[in-house]
Amino acid sequence: MKFPIQQKAILAAVINAIIIGFSFIFVKHSLSFADPLDSLAHRFTFSFIAATLFAFPGWSRLKAMRKQAFAVIPLALLNPSLFFALQAFGLQHASSAIAGIVQATVPVFTMILAAVFLKERASTVQLLCTLLSVSGVILVFAVPGVGASSASFLGITLILLSALALAGYTTIARKLTQTLRPKDLTYMMILFGFIVFNLIALVKHGAAGTIGTYFMPLRKPGFIVDMAYLGVLSFLVTSFLSNFALSVLEASKVSVFAGLSTVVTIAGGVLLLHEQLGWYHWVGAIMIVSGVTGVNLAKKKLPPAQKSAETS
């Protein structure tokens, strides 16, 4: 049984959200072995090795891709570089609850950027469903209570910028996937992240004379498992799935699926961390899923010329 390309893209976006949702547990565990920058460097090393083994485009294709490298650099600067770096440093100054609330602005930023740069026009129903999904994410984090002292202006600003970087990535990737294969785009992004984060980590340790500590986490089996999940599944696989989904679906639609990651994170907390759910978790989860479903079932608003052509 063959599935239409749009159904495959939606399935890719759902699987992507599930993998990212569980990544929180692995990130939390990996930070007990290494600091954020070292963890990111090792994460992209695992991604690069896996991509080279299983998704290497070939030397001839790699040489041809050099001409398109300058078009990919702005994308790679946004994600993985700026997004991960701003988020990591922002979390040093703000609580995870505040980060979750600010991160919920990604679909809003994406819809605005997609409307400006890609001329994607969301219908009123799609706009309302996006706001419903975002409100669900905010409810999940906001109801427990967030004190004014739990975050600084600097932390909120950095996390807001990370959300903007992710929205910018989603918008640019939507455009680039029309000319680049998702597989090639994913490989180039991973190569960029591998070089940038390892260079930063090695320069940092070289200046401090602590190169040996850079490799110490790799002696721990638990850290290896964390990096395998975060590097292979949570970046290599999700990057391919995201780029594939963006090659078919509008950027605003793909961005809303990020809300599903919150639902998966809640489920992971209950099943793996034995956390208790409050009423706001259930209500927020229903709002998120309803918003995602509504965006994908609602019809996109057509330009007047196209609308008249279809009715004639």
Side-chain angles (χ1 to χ4, degrees), residues 29-304:
H29 188 252
S30 69
L31 292 178
S32 63
F33 299 103
D35 65 46
L37 282 177
D38 286 359
S39 181
L40 282 171
H42 291 305
R43 177 177 180 174
F44 278 95
T45 299
F46 274 69
S47 289
F48 176 69
I49 293 172
T52 302
L53 290 175
F54 302 109
F56 185 63
W59 289 110
S60 59
R61 183 69 183 170
L62 199 60
K63 289 181 180 179
M65 285 161 55
R66 285 187 303 180
K67 300 177 182 178
Q68 300 166 310
F70 288 104
V72 177
I73 286 176
L75 181 71
L77 283 173
L78 290 171
N79 181 30
S81 300
L82 279 176
F83 170 66
F84 283 116
L86 288 168
Q87 188 181 69
F89 287 106
L91 284 170
Q92 291 183 336
H93 303 281
S95 69
S96 59
I98 285 288
I101 293 171
V102 177
Q103 204 68 36
T105 60
V106 171
V108 177
F109 282 139
T110 302
M111 184 170 287
I112 294 171
L113 292 175
V116 173
F117 295 104
L118 304 181
K119 309 305 178 185
E120 292 183 2
R121 300 177 63 191
S123 66
T124 303
V125 175
Q126 286 180 317
L127 179 60
L128 291 174
C129 288
T130 299
L131 293 176
L132 176 64
S133 182
V134 171
S135 299
V137 177
I138 293 174
L139 179 68
V140 167
F141 288 101
V143 170
V146 180
S149 61
S150 62
S152 67
F153 178 78
L154 176 60
I156 294 174
T157 302
L158 290 174
I159 295 170
L160 188 63
L161 288 174
S162 76
L164 183 59
L166 184 58
Y169 154 77
T170 304
T171 305
I172 297 175
R174 168 66 175 165
K175 193 170 184 178
L176 282 178
T177 51
Q178 308 305 309
T179 56
L180 278 171
R181 296 188 308 174
K183 176 182 176 181
D184 295 342
L185 181 58
T186 300
Y187 190 85
M188 293 173 75
M189 288 173 57
I190 289 173
L191 177 61
F192 189 89
F194 167 72
I195 294 173
V196 168
F197 284 111
N198 272 284
L199 185 62
I200 292 173
L202 289 174
V203 168
K204 179 192 72 171
H205 283 289
T210 57
I211 290 292
T213 61
Y214 171 73
F215 298 98
M216 285 182 63
L218 296 174
R219 301 175 184 176
K220 306 292 184 179
F223 186 76
I224 298 294
V225 173
D226 294 336
M227 293 301 99
Y229 185 92
L230 295 172
V232 180
L233 279 179
S234 190
F235 192 79
L236 173 60
V237 175
T238 58
S239 293
F240 175 77
L241 291 173
S242 176
N243 289 333
F244 170 69
L246 286 166
S247 70
V248 179
L249 302 173
E250 291 90 348
S252 54
K253 280 188 178 183
V254 175
S255 177
V256 176
F257 277 96
L260 286 176
S261 297
T262 302
V263 179
V264 175
T265 301
I266 293 172
V270 172
L271 298 175
L272 301 177
L273 302 180
H274 307 291
E275 296 174 346
Q276 299 297 317
L277 283 182
W279 64 267
Y280 49 89
H281 291 115
W282 296 110
V283 175
I286 292 171
M287 291 171 67
I288 293 166
V289 173
S290 298
V292 170
T293 304
V295 166
N296 285 281
L297 292 180
K299 291 184 178 180
K300 183 174 63 173
K301 187 177 181 181
L302 299 175

